[in-house]
Amino acid sequence: MSERATPARRLVSPGRPVPVSTYRLQLGPDLTFDDVAAQVPYYASLGVSHLYLSPVLRAAPGSTHGYDVVAHDEVSPVLGGLDGLHRLAGTAHDAGLGLVLDIVPNHMAVPTPVWHNRPLWSVLAEGPDSPYASWFDVDWSGGEGALLIPVLGDRIGTVLARGELTLEQEDVLGDGTRAVLRYHEHVFPVRTGTESLPLAELLERQHYRLAYWRVADEELNYRRFFDVDTLVAVRVEDPAVFDATHALVLQLLRDGTIDGLRIDHPDGLADPAGYLERLREATDGAWVVVEKILAGDEQVPGDWWTAGTTGYDALWRVQQTFVDPGGAALLGSVMHRLAGDTSDAFPGIVARAKSEVVEGTLYAEVHRLTELAAGICHDDVRLRDHTWRALHECLVGLLVELDRYRAYVVPGTAPHPEAVEALQSAAARARRRLSGERAETMDVVVDLLLGREAGSAGRTRDPRRDELVVRFQQTCGAVQAKGVEDTAYYRWTQLTALCEVGGEPERFALTPTDLAAWASRAQVVAPLAMTTLSTHDTKRGEDTRARLGVLSELPHEWSALVDALHRTSAPFRSALVDGRAENLLWQTLAGTWTAQGPIEADRLVDYLVKAVREAKSHTSWASPDEAYEQAVVSLARHALEDPTVVELFTGWELRTRPAVRAATLGTKLVQLTLPGVADVYQGTEVPAVTLVDPDNRRKVDTEDLAARLDRLDNGAVPRTLTDEKLLVTSRALRVRRDVTEAFTGPEAGFVPLAHSSGHSLTYARTVAGEARVVVVATRLGAAVERLDGWADHTVALPEGTWHDVLTDREVPGGVQPVGPLLDRLPVALLVAGAV
């Protein structure tokens, strides 16, 4: 146990429940509350302490994920309503399980038809006079007093000429008919008193402006979620809005239906720290974790009241500990041969992608920032000569160069030194790309963004300056997410497994010492944060990434394989297919080709189309290039059918099977036993080679899993990797449940253990300094195989007698040879005491 104390903001209030482990469930029409309740016996047998539910509030019609909320005061009837949620809670509680809920404070849906979102419908009907006008982040001065609604398939004049907009009478809310505007499936309210006007004049008089959908990137006057026009931001910084949007969720906490919360994207809020402090008070100190992307060694801000993150910081570290650093150069060479990208090109790719985003899909947000800065400068004689263009270039430069989701500055509060350093470093990098004439303007912009005195003596604050500080930070997250994770990560193909949400592809690989150092610190600073390997947002499932990681262990073999694939595919590979897409295809096949063969063609094609559109190099969602996309799709389909390609990948799968086994089981065991609350994403208790959503949200055959687990519990020997991963997952979860004090208790600790091989990863989980659980995992199984086994390598186990719960045998303490310990499985999970 560390002598350092865990910060109070990272702990829950005394008596509040803390999950030991969670099982993430993606609810929807195919997985309702009653469906989950029927599967509770399996989840309980697996060993989790809590079921972790995706958002349950009423969502937009047809929602497949629940993040497009339309009503905060109603549990989704599609899922079973409030009664169904209570039934599930009762069944779970009877089985000893609790519930954790994912909530979305940052935004609501702009649904079709919009009346499904009653607060937004009210704002469209009544404008600033609506009782809900304060709910949404709308700049009423930015759109001539009208909220921009970019839903039209063509420019407004053309739509009118075609007669596609009609005035009709409908009863949309069940309180009598009223005049509405209809555009195909879209329905909008008509402002009272304008019903009899000619259609063109009627449109001019509304509290909203119907516009061509492409207008949103240039003139949008409401804050949206990243660049998604159908998600409108909610102003939970307003106490009244917070209370209204959280009343039902808080009631579910008070009555014990749920035990804790996962907060979706708090970086998008105006004041994340203030929001989390208010939530802490409202929940009486319940367990709350946040979806927070940390850049490199960045930490969760010290003034946030949260147990920690949802686990992306653990995800990439675990994964990259199982990547061989020796493979970096050769995989970089393969990328260069195919795509032309050099191994040091990643920063430039990121900068270009972020530049494209700020000048493209996020132009409206950046324009709004520039207008704020220009207005501040125009009204201050000492700043008046800093032009709109100069301010725009400096703001763009900062957004491109800032290396994190947010620099946390609160108006009226002295900024933290880390925030100052982040902004000043970004400014220094941006200056290198700007003319010398912009240097003084950059100084002014940085001072304004840090809330410092700029211009007239003593002036640091006014409403516009405060708004600039807040909106800049909100825009940073959108630029980082859309520019890096949703663009650059689809362009960088050295090892695609590293291009993950919250990932650090430039680091390539970590050592066991790196992981142990991070875990030791996490045990102190955030012992109740989450760890994970897969989420509903990951770009590849954990098992796909584990298979891809093996490329780094066998880089020479992979390089030769890619050369053979390139030659073999030449007759059916169109000249339109670029090297990045080709490299992505071969790696995707390597990551999803199992002993049963390749991934289904439709799944592969759907993924590739999404990937190349996200990359935005030759096609995009906004401007699809059908010829290019068809060329990529044709290559993929031909590859799956070509006998030589099939033979090559079948041989690769067989050659890498032992290394894949070690990586699959090792990453899972380590993730489940590191400091924090361990999460299992639905279906990942067995190998699941999945890709980005919606592929990773497919239905899980829980009946088969339950039957398989029952066989293992009744003494069946695991004979496949599926059996082995289920064994490792269930036993690790049960150990967490049975020895809780070693994992989430106040005296829990993490201690690395001495070992003689860099290919083993070993540590103990302790209680008050006494080892209670020991983990031993094979790292880089291909290297162990190449060295003909473990030879005389050893691991120093704590003294005493240990029981390996994976192989059901006793192991003595002290210095022990690794070979006999890992002769049946590439991992071991030891619990103190003989059984």
Side-chain angles (χ1 to χ4, degrees), residues 597-806:
I599 191 174
E600 296 92 329
D602 287 345
R603 290 175 60 196
L604 176 63
V605 164
D606 288 347
Y607 167 73
L608 290 172
V609 170
K610 180 169 184 174
V612 296
R613 287 183 179 180
E614 294 284 10
K616 307 172 192 68
S617 297
H618 302 279
T619 186
S620 67
W621 296 104
S623 300
D625 184 326
E626 293 185 9
Y628 170 78
E629 291 180 4
Q630 185 53 45
V632 173
V633 167
S634 177
L635 172 61
R637 291 194 181 277
H638 275 92
L640 291 177
E641 297 170 356
D642 183 81
T644 304
V645 172
V646 171
E647 180 182 357
L648 288 169
F649 270 113
T650 299
W652 173 260
E653 189 281 326
L654 187 62
R655 169 68 181 87
T656 59
R657 197 174 291 175
V660 165
R661 178 180 182 236
T664 298
L665 301 182
T667 53
K668 195 63 175 179
L669 180 60
V670 169
Q671 179 254 321
L672 293 175
T673 52
L674 284 177
V677 176
D679 177 52
V680 176
Y681 183 73
Q682 61 178 30
T684 61
E685 60 268 46
V686 296
V689 288
T690 58
L691 299 166
V692 74
D693 66 278
D695 190 70
N696 61 5
R697 300 177 185 181
R698 293 177 302 127
K699 189 173 183 178
V700 176
D701 188 350
T702 308
E703 288 187 10
D704 176 73
L705 295 177
R708 190 181 295 269
L709 181 59
D710 187 60
R711 289 195 297 272
L712 292 172
D713 288 344
N714 283 305
V717 177
R719 300 189 181 280
T720 65
L721 184 56
T722 298
D723 288 341
E724 290 175 342
K725 191 178 183 189
L726 182 58
L727 177 75
V728 168
T729 303
S730 61
R731 273 40 177 181
L733 290 171
R734 292 173 186 179
V735 167
R736 292 184 66 93
R737 180 190 62 195
D738 297 341
V739 196
T740 299
E741 62 274 19
F743 294 95
T744 58
E747 295 185 308
F750 172 91
V751 179
L753 298 178
H755 52 274
S756 65
S757 170
H759 300 305
S760 60
L761 200 162
T762 61
Y763 53 86
R765 299 309 310 270
T766 63
V767 180
E770 179 183 351
R772 298 287 296 278
V773 178
V774 168
V775 171
V776 182
T778 301
R779 174 178 173 267
L780 311 182
V784 175
E785 181 186 4
R786 188 166 53 247
L787 295 170
D788 200 25
W790 290 103
D792 57 356
H793 283 293
T794 59
V795 57
L797 301 178
E799 294 297 333
T801 302
W802 297 87
H803 178 241
D804 186 351
V805 300
L806 301 179

Side-chain angles (χ1 to χ4, degrees), residues 397-647:
L398 283 173
L399 289 167
V400 169
E401 295 297 341
L402 194 69
D403 62 356
R404 59 198 63 200
Y405 264 68
R406 190 165 177 142
Y408 297 95
V409 183
V410 178
T413 302
H416 191 278
E418 186 175 342
V420 176
E421 170 63 22
L423 274 172
Q424 289 182 337
S425 295
R429 292 189 293 271
R431 283 188 180 95
R432 294 197 287 265
R433 299 193 297 111
L434 297 172
S435 68
E437 177 69 22
R438 300 304 191 214
E440 289 187 19
T441 301
M442 180 64 80
D443 290 340
V444 169
V445 170
V446 170
D447 283 343
L448 289 173
L449 295 177
L450 289 172
R452 291 172 171 170
E453 179 180 324
S456 299
R459 179 174 297 175
T460 59
R461 295 191 67 190
D462 61 39
R464 280 185 304 186
R465 291 182 184 227
D466 289 356
E467 185 179 358
L468 178 64
V469 168
V470 171
R471 291 200 182 282
F472 175 80
Q473 294 178 76
Q474 291 173 310
T475 305
C476 287
V479 171
Q480 190 76 2
K482 303 309 296 183
V484 180
E485 291 176 8
D486 289 348
T487 304
Y489 279 5
Y490 284 97
R491 297 178 180 180
W492 185 246
T493 60
Q494 180 184 24
L495 182 59
T496 56
L498 307 185
C499 295
E500 192 47 84
V501 180
E504 294 285 329
E506 279 192 284
R507 298 282 288 271
F508 196 81
L510 299 181
T511 67
T513 301
D514 293 328
L515 181 65
W518 175 82
S520 297
R521 189 178 193 282
Q523 183 61 55
V524 175
V525 301
L528 304 181
M530 294 183 81
T531 68
T532 191
L533 284 181
S534 300
T535 76
H536 60 286
D537 278 334
T538 42
K539 299 185 184 305
R540 295 166 188 85
E542 62 199 59
D543 299 294
T544 303
R545 296 197 311 273
R547 289 175 178 275
L548 286 168
V550 172
L551 273 57
S552 70
E553 302 182 47
L554 299 167
H556 292 281
E557 294 88 337
W558 175 252
S559 178
L561 177 63
V562 170
D563 285 344
L565 291 166
H566 186 71
R567 289 192 303 270
T568 300
S569 62
F572 53 83
R573 188 179 65 250
S574 167
L576 292 176
V577 178
D578 59 305
R580 287 175 177 172
E582 184 186 351
N583 203 19
L584 176 68
L585 169 61
W586 302 140
Q587 290 196 30
T588 302
L589 287 174
T592 56
W593 203 294
T594 68
Q596 288 70 48
I599 191 174
E600 296 92 329
D602 287 345
R603 290 175 60 196
L604 176 63
V605 164
D606 288 347
Y607 167 73
L608 290 172
V609 170
K610 180 169 184 174
V612 296
R613 287 183 179 180
E614 294 284 10
K616 307 172 192 68
S617 297
H618 302 279
T619 186
S620 67
W621 296 104
S623 300
D625 184 326
E626 293 185 9
Y628 170 78
E629 291 180 4
Q630 185 53 45
V632 173
V633 167
S634 177
L635 172 61
R637 291 194 181 277
H638 275 92
L640 291 177
E641 297 170 356
D642 183 81
T644 304
V645 172
V646 171
E647 180 182 357

Side-chain angles (χ1 to χ4, degrees), residues 44-120:
S45 179
L46 192 62
V48 297
S49 73
H50 282 69
L51 303 181
Y52 166 20
L53 307 180
S54 61
V56 303
L57 300 182
R58 181 189 276 272
S63 174
T64 59
H65 48 74
Y67 290 91
D68 41 2
V69 176
V70 296
H72 292 93
D73 57 355
E74 182 182 3
V75 174
S76 169
V78 173
L79 302 181
L82 184 59
D83 289 343
L85 178 58
H86 283 149
R87 286 194 300 273
L88 169 57
T91 301
H93 294 161
D94 289 344
L97 304 181
L99 302 181
V100 170
L101 182 60
D102 192 345
I103 66 169
V104 189
N106 184 62
H107 56 266
M108 292 183 75
V110 183
T112 303
V114 74
W115 54 260
H116 286 285
N117 184 334
R118 290 184 177 230
L120 183 57

Side-chain angles (χ1 to χ4, degrees), residues 57 71-74 103 105 132 134-135 234-252 254 274-275 277-283:
L57 300 182
H72 292 93
D73 57 355
E74 182 182 3
I103 66 169
Y132 298 100
S134 63
W135 277 44
V234 178
R235 298 182 62 254
V236 292
E237 64 270 22
D238 184 323
V241 178
F242 176 93
D243 291 343
T245 55
H246 287 68
L248 177 54
V249 168
L250 294 175
Q251 178 57 42
L252 293 173
R254 281 192 293 268
Y275 169 80
E277 183 173 5
R278 186 175 292 116
L279 191 65
R280 173 81 173 196
E281 297 171 356
T283 63

